Amino acid sequence: MGEGDRDLDPVPALRNPVSIVLVHGVPDTPAMWDPLVDVLARDDVVRLALPGFAAPVPEGFSSTKETYADWVVEQLEAVGEPVDVVGHDWGSLLVQRVAVTRPDLVRSYTLANAVMTETFRWHDLAVAWQTPEVGEQVMEAMAADALEQGLREGGHPDAARAAERVDATMKACILGLYRSATDIATEWSPREALVRPGLVLWGSGDPFAPPDNPRLASAVMDAELALVDGGHWAIVEHPTVAANALTRLWATA
């Protein structure tokens, strides 16, 4: 196996010592975290692999937002003590949900380029995925070259390899996840500030979210706000800047 394939190694099982847990989003795998993990240079970091995203789908797994949130809870319970949890995109929404429903598992939380508030609205591609038949047609048209271009325009630092990892299983899981979340703003918006130290880390040039989203989320949840000069994947597009912000947060938790 060459150096370029190192991100395809199995993700280690959660066990102590684990202090930091990273949760990727759509359409990514744990490999997206490589630039940040390299900068952090710590041996207590674990990257979760969401079922269906270059990882096996457990028997009976329904690919809904509730099932994925429950799965993240199970992974954190296995650690045995609260951890610093970082999520990006859908991983951020799952981290936010867990921080609301199971704060005992969370020492601190970081939400990167996706947050849930009462004013949350899905972007156009998400709405297409949520629409029966239309979503399937969009997925069929998402060949690797077209997907690579879209990821690169969003600021993904490894667009080509990320696009190659999107297979039929991942596409099916994405459709199931988004179709379970048409009313997510009503169902998952936090009603009060979270009880753990938090950080909203945002690429200011994110094409998928209005610029006021992170400011509103930071105010609602009483979390620190860090705006990064990058796109949707700013947390790994500029890993040194992100690592500095994360380290400051973890020092206060």
Side-chain angles (χ1 to χ4, degrees):
M1 179 175 291
E3 176 65 20
D5 297 321
R6 66 187 176 91
D7 52 278
L8 300 183
D9 290 342
V11 177
L14 287 183
R15 60 186 183 277
N16 283 322
V18 172
S19 298
I20 301 162
V21 175
L22 309 178
V23 189
H24 67 82
V26 173
D28 270 306
T29 71
M32 71 152 280
W33 295 113
D34 280 353
L36 180 63
V37 170
D38 287 346
V39 171
L40 290 173
R42 295 175 54 154
D43 59 5
D44 58 350
V45 180
V46 166
R47 296 177 274 185
L48 297 186
L50 296 177
F53 292 75
V57 178
E59 185 176 355
F61 193 87
S62 63
S63 299
T64 65
K65 68 184 192 299
E66 291 81 11
T67 306
Y68 275 108
D70 289 345
W71 181 87
V72 173
V73 165
E74 292 174 0
Q75 309 312 302
L76 298 185
E77 286 178 334
V79 177
E81 60 186 32
V83 294
D84 299 312
V85 193
V86 181
H88 173 260
D89 187 81
W90 253 107
S92 178
L93 300 183
L94 296 173
V95 166
Q96 184 179 8
R97 181 62 174 174
V98 172
V100 169
T101 60
R102 290 295 307 273
D104 58 301
L105 301 174
V106 177
R107 198 174 81 104
S108 74
Y109 66 90
T110 297
L111 312 178
N113 284 84
V115 290
M116 188 51 53
T117 67
E118 292 182 347
T119 63
F120 179 89
R121 295 293 183 273
W122 284 117
H123 52 81
D124 290 345
L125 180 57
V127 173
W129 282 338
Q130 290 169 339
T131 306
E133 298 186 7
V134 174
E136 283 77 7
Q137 293 171 4
V138 171
M139 285 298 185
E140 186 176 351
M142 282 176 56
D145 54 349
L147 183 56
E148 178 185 346
Q149 179 179 350
L151 292 173
R152 183 172 289 109
E153 291 173 354
H156 201 298
D158 193 12
R161 288 200 296 167
E164 291 174 354
R165 299 185 189 102
V166 178
D167 59 11
T169 298
M170 186 188 295
K171 289 180 179 181
C173 288
I174 291 172
L175 291 181
L177 179 57
Y178 275 88
R179 288 174 181 178
S180 73
T182 56
D183 198 25
I184 193 172
T186 299
E187 296 169 345
W188 276 19
S189 293
R191 301 294 184 256
E192 57 188 23
L194 304 189
V195 298
R196 296 291 183 266
L199 171 67
V200 176
L201 195 154
W202 209 271
S204 57
D206 189 340
F208 303 111
D212 289 339
N213 277 22
R215 293 183 177 88
L216 175 59
S218 175
V220 167
M221 296 180 294
D222 193 25
E224 180 185 349
L225 174 62
L227 292 176
V228 179
D229 185 17
H232 185 66
W233 283 269
I235 193 169
V236 288
E237 187 182 2
H238 301 289
T240 300
V241 175
N244 289 339
L246 290 168
T247 300
R248 288 193 297 269
L249 172 70
W250 297 335
T252 68

